[in-house]
Amino acid sequence: MSLTGKTAIVTGSNSGIGLGIAWELARAGADVVLNSFTDSEEDHALAAEMAAETGVSVRYIQADMSKGEDCRALIEKAGRCDILVNNAGIQHVAPIDDFPVDKWNAIIAINLNSAFHTMAAALPMMRAAGWGRIVNIASAHGLTASPYKAAYVAAKHGIVGMTKTVALETAQEPITCNAICPGYVLTPLVEAQIPDTMKEYNMSREDVIKNVMLERQPSKEFATVEQLGGTAVFLCSDAAAQITGTTISVDGGWTAL
Ligand code: NAD
């Protein structure tokens, strides 16, 4: 699959799944725009490393996905957007009657509203180019729920719904819009939850991973960022041109339960 000549913007891509997807898109030949809210030497070094290793053009553009104007500015600054991967996301775990309002607002802004703004800004560019692929990174929590994750589950169900709407609005154009629903992937977002869960359940790291995190993942294995990158590349391929408005689960069987 060659994505040579296409420009891919991946939000929240200086770490974890976004970075893994950016690597696979670059390996498939797409020019890449990396993004996060930071603007560090490491961010720009990552772009330089990816460009050197894959031979494509890689830029890092700082933009805070919690702010609508930054989301739109990211797309405008990139100047071209053939492939849009809405990946930026955060998590907070608390019972609903104790859920901090600022955390609720931040999760809805970063995990849901940002995709509204980036898609609104990117679609005219895709229409002008006569081709477009939107890949929204939802979650198994876009299809099922867990306790204490009200904001995350609401945002992820919201992104699955918005994916379907955008797919219908673009159905007769050479543009597709789909969501990938990962189960647990061992990224910094998940790694950060391990120490608290160890304390909460008085369990070892291994037991937390196997009996708490992967409890609902029948494969008992984490999905990998490379597998998610491969799925995103597939959704950008010609073979996937009639796949639109749907979800692809990469969850080791979680949603089959
Ligand atoms: P991560 O913490 O490694 O990466 C999150 C990325 O989002 C980082 O690059 C971070 O810099 C960026 N980000 C956070 N706030 C931002 C902001 N305000 N503006 C711009 N960028 C911002 O986490 P991850 O596990 O790679 O998660 C990536 C996506 O995958 C999220 O949407 C998450 O909900 C989803 N997801 C993760 C898992 C998992 O098990 N790791 C499972 C299902 C879905």
Side-chain angles (χ1 to χ4, degrees), residues 12-17 35-37 63-66 87-90 110 137-139 152 156 182-185 187-190:
S13 49
N14 65 351
S15 122
I17 292 171
N35 153 262
S36 184
F37 59 93
D64 183 345
M65 292 297 105
S66 70
N87 168 80
I90 58 168
I110 297 168
I137 305 306
S139 166
Y152 190 83
K156 295 299 186 181
Y184 269 109
V185 187
T187 63
L189 181 140
V190 167

Side-chain angles (χ1 to χ4, degrees), residues 31 33-34 41 74 85 91 100 102 104 106-107 116 119 141 149 168 172-173 196 215 239 241:
D31 294 328
V33 172
L34 297 175
E41 265 178 40
L74 167 66
V85 182
Q91 173 65 289
D102 62 330
W104 170 274
I107 290 176
F116 158 67
M119 289 195 284
H141 284 114
K149 295 188 175 176
L168 292 178
Q172 294 185 21
E173 303 174 75
D196 283 349
E215 197 233 328

